C-alpha cells in the first residue's frame, strides 16, 4: 500500500489536485493506494491535550501511515517552507515507528520558480532524522498555476511523464527495500 499524502489543509488546493493525479498513476501501475488529505484532519487533533493523548478520530491517519509500504508526500511551498499543518501532522504521528525504515518520496509544487525546492529539502531533513529511506528522484512543479488548467488537468505531457517516471521508480525502490522483488545481475 502506497500512501499519497496531500500536505496542506487549504480548501480547493492544487496540492490535492496533484495528489489525486499521483494516486491515479499508482493505481494504473496496479499498486494499491490511499490518499490522505490533511484537509480532513479531525478538529480535535488541534487541542493542546492531543500531544499527550491522540483523539480516536486521528487513528485512521496514524494507522494508514503505520501500514504503508511507502509514502509519497505532495507538498506546497508556503512562505519558503512546508505548511505548518504538515509539520504538525508529522509531530502527531507515533515516534519513531511512523517513518523508521519507511520508503518515502517527494513532490513539490509552488507558484514560484523553484517548485517547492525548499520545503522538499526541509522534509528530506525531517524524514532523514526519522530514519526513512528517501527516494532520490523528486518532482518539482514551479509555476503550478500555469501547469494546471482550470479543470485540474496538466498543461502538456511533461509533468505527467515526470510523475509517472517517479512512480515507476518508487514502486521498484519500495519493492527492493521490502524484499518483494528479487534483483538479478
Amino acid at each position: 500500500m502506497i500512501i499519497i499524502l496531500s500536505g496542506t489543509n487549504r480548501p480547493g488546493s492544487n496540492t490535492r489536485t496533484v495528489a489525486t493525479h499521483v494516486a491515479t498513476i499508482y493505481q494504473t501501475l496496479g499498486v494499491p493506494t490511499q490518499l490522505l488529505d490533511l484537509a480532513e484532519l479531525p478538529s480535535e487533533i488541534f487541542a493542546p491535550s492531543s500531544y499527550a493523548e491522540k483523539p480516536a478520530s486521528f487513528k485512521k491517519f496514524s494507522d494508514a501511515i503505520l501500514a504503508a509500504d511507502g509514502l509519497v508526500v505532495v507538498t506546497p511551498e508556503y512562505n519558503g517552507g512546508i505548511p505548518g499543518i504538515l509539520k504538525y501532522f508529522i509531530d502527531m504521528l507515533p515516534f519513531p515507528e511512523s517513518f523508521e525504515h519507511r520508503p518515502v518520496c517527494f513532490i513539490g509544487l509552488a507558484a514560484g520558480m523553484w517548485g517547492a525546492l525548499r520545503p522538499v529539502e526541509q522534509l528530506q531533513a525531517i524524514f532523514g532524522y526519522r530514519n526513512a529511506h528517501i527516494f532520490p528522484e523528486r518532482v518539482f512543479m514551479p509555476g503550478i498555476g500555469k501547469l494546471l488548467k482550470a479543470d485540474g488537468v496538466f498543461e502538456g505531457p511533461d509533468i505527467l511523464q515526470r510523475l509517472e517516471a517517479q512512480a515507476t521508480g518508487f514502486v521498484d525502490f519500495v519493492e527492493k527495500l521490502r524484499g518483494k522483488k528479487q534483483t538479478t545481475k
Side-chain angles (χ1 to χ4, degrees), residues 19 35 49 61 73 139 146 152:
L35 178 62
S49 60
F61 289 89
V73 180
V139 174
K146 293 178 182 169

Side-chain angles (χ1 to χ4, degrees), residues 7-138:
T8 182
N9 61 344
R10 184 175 286 180
S13 72
N14 288 325
T15 304
R16 171 63 188 236
T17 301
V18 170
T20 301
H21 280 291
V22 171
T24 300
I25 291 166
Y26 280 88
Q27 291 162 359
T28 300
L29 293 173
V31 177
T33 62
Q34 180 181 351
L35 178 62
L36 277 186
D37 188 348
L38 296 187
E40 298 172 1
L41 282 173
S43 60
E44 53 269 22
I45 193 68
F46 301 105
S49 60
S50 291
Y51 280 103
E53 186 173 338
K54 308 302 177 273
S57 56
F58 186 70
K59 187 170 174 28
K60 79 172 193 171
F61 289 89
S62 60
D63 284 355
I65 297 295
L66 292 170
D69 292 313
L71 176 64
V72 178
V73 180
V74 183
T75 184
E77 180 171 335
Y78 290 169
N79 296 306
I82 65 174
I85 190 70
L86 179 53
K87 178 61 168 82
Y88 185 74
F89 175 73
I90 292 167
D91 291 346
M92 289 294 103
L93 292 169
F95 180 87
E97 63 271 22
S98 294
F99 305 123
E100 187 85 13
H101 305 295
R102 192 166 319 279
V104 62
C105 76
F106 301 100
I107 298 167
L109 56 115
M113 64 190 251
W114 301 112
L117 176 68
R118 288 176 290 233
V120 167
E121 288 179 339
Q122 291 165 0
L123 287 166
Q124 287 177 294
I126 293 166
F127 280 83
Y129 170 77
R130 297 283 301 268
N131 295 320
H133 294 296
I134 298 173
F135 183 63
E137 294 180 33
R138 305 160 300 172

Side-chain angles (χ1 to χ4, degrees), residues 150-164:
D151 60 1
V153 176
F154 287 114
E155 186 71 49
D158 180 56
I159 290 293
L160 192 55
Q161 289 168 349
R162 288 178 26 219
L163 290 171
E164 289 168 349

